[in-house]
Amino acid sequence: MPHTRYAPDRGLTARMVTTMFFIGLLYVVFIGVLLALFKGAWPLIVILAGGLFVAQFWFSDRIAAFSMGAREVTPQQAPELHGAVDRLCALADMPKPRVAIADTDVPNAFATGRNQRNALVCATTGLLRRLEPEELEGVLAHELSHVAHRDVAVMTIASFLGVLAGIMTRAALWGGLSRGSRNNNVGIAVLLIPLISAVVYAISFLLTRLLSRYRELSADRAGALLTGRPSALAAALTKVTGQMARIPTRDLRKVEPYNAFFFAPALSGESVSRLFSSHPTLERRLDQLARISTQLGQAGRG
């Protein structure tokens, strides 16, 4: 991890390394199976898989910004947002990322980018309208922690395999790969590809969800320690989660695919199993922030 004043998290580092190992192994196995089934189409498979990986990793910040309707803003256009980011980056001793705003009433924020030099931090108009300055800084400190710890880049890579599995399934069923092979068992192969892709997607989905829940707790902890105001972050969490219930469901479903990158999930509730949730429960996050507040208070008295 590049040097910053954010508190290091060995647990997060270990989980990122483990996730990348298993995702990489799964990726190699998946491509190997495709090459074995469609030997005549190996150049297309290699080019497609490699090209998509490079494109998603290299342009992840632009893809996420475009998908969310985010637009980069200047300090003149959003002085308060830029001012908060400037203060936090100076406090954390890290390069300032690009700053963007998404025009949506869904109160949320996210960070993306392959490294600190190419990062982007985005807040929605709904978030900016609802939060007090200290609460906004707490949310931004949380998001900048993702950039500092580089877990946002790991999440981008980890989520790629599921995307690739879906694309390969459609390509196989469409018949583009089968035309490059004269194997008599092409029909069986085409039936196997959706099954294999479903298994690959399920495994990669679970791996990213396990990492996602821990990284949110890690970002809460690091952001609270950096600002020294865990209560402000707790207030922001409570306010955002409460306000989310007032947003029309159709608007929440539009942004639900990006839940893993958000400060708070767009859709949650008892109907969603904790195993499949992208975030820890609100109670768990608030409990951790309360413990940090107690620790900081004891340290201050000491």
Side-chain angles (χ1 to χ4, degrees), residues 1 4-13 149 214 218 221-222 225:
M1 167 179 154
T4 70
R5 293 196 181 101
Y6 273 104
D9 191 323
R10 293 182 180 179
L12 178 62
T13 301
H149 288 143
Y214 186 89
S218 175
R221 181 167 54 250
L225 290 173

Side-chain angles (χ1 to χ4, degrees), residues 117-155:
R117 296 289 179 183
N118 296 278
L120 178 141
V121 173
C122 176
T124 67
T125 52
L127 185 79
L128 296 174
R129 185 167 58 253
R130 290 174 171 87
L131 297 189
E132 299 297 327
E134 283 192 356
E135 296 169 347
L136 177 61
E137 284 200 4
V139 173
L140 294 174
H142 169 106
E143 294 303 329
L144 288 171
S145 169
H146 288 314
V147 176
H149 288 143
R150 303 195 68 172
D151 56 276
V152 67
V154 173
M155 284 294 294

Side-chain angles (χ1 to χ4, degrees), residues 131-191:
L131 297 189
E132 299 297 327
E134 283 192 356
E135 296 169 347
L136 177 61
E137 284 200 4
V139 173
L140 294 174
H142 169 106
E143 294 303 329
L144 288 171
S145 169
H146 288 314
V147 176
H149 288 143
R150 303 195 68 172
D151 56 276
V152 67
V154 173
M155 284 294 294
T156 298
I157 298 172
S159 64
F160 166 74
L161 194 56
V163 175
L164 179 63
I167 292 174
M168 288 297 187
T169 299
R170 287 191 289 272
L173 293 176
W174 182 66
L177 294 179
S178 63
R179 285 198 297 270
S181 175
R182 296 184 179 180
N183 191 335
N184 293 328
N185 295 323
V186 165
I188 298 176
V190 171
L191 291 175

Side-chain angles (χ1 to χ4, degrees), residues 9 61 78 103 123 128 145 160 165 173 187 204 241 254-255 293 295:
D9 191 323
D61 53 340
D103 188 13
L128 296 174
S145 169
F160 166 74
L173 293 176
S204 63
T241 304
K254 289 179 182 178
V255 298
S293 183
Q295 292 168 3

Side-chain angles (χ1 to χ4, degrees), residues 27 35 41-54 164 168:
Y27 181 77
L35 292 175
W42 69 265
L44 177 61
I45 294 173
V46 172
I47 292 173
L48 182 60
L52 286 173
F53 176 79
V54 172
L164 179 63
M168 288 297 187

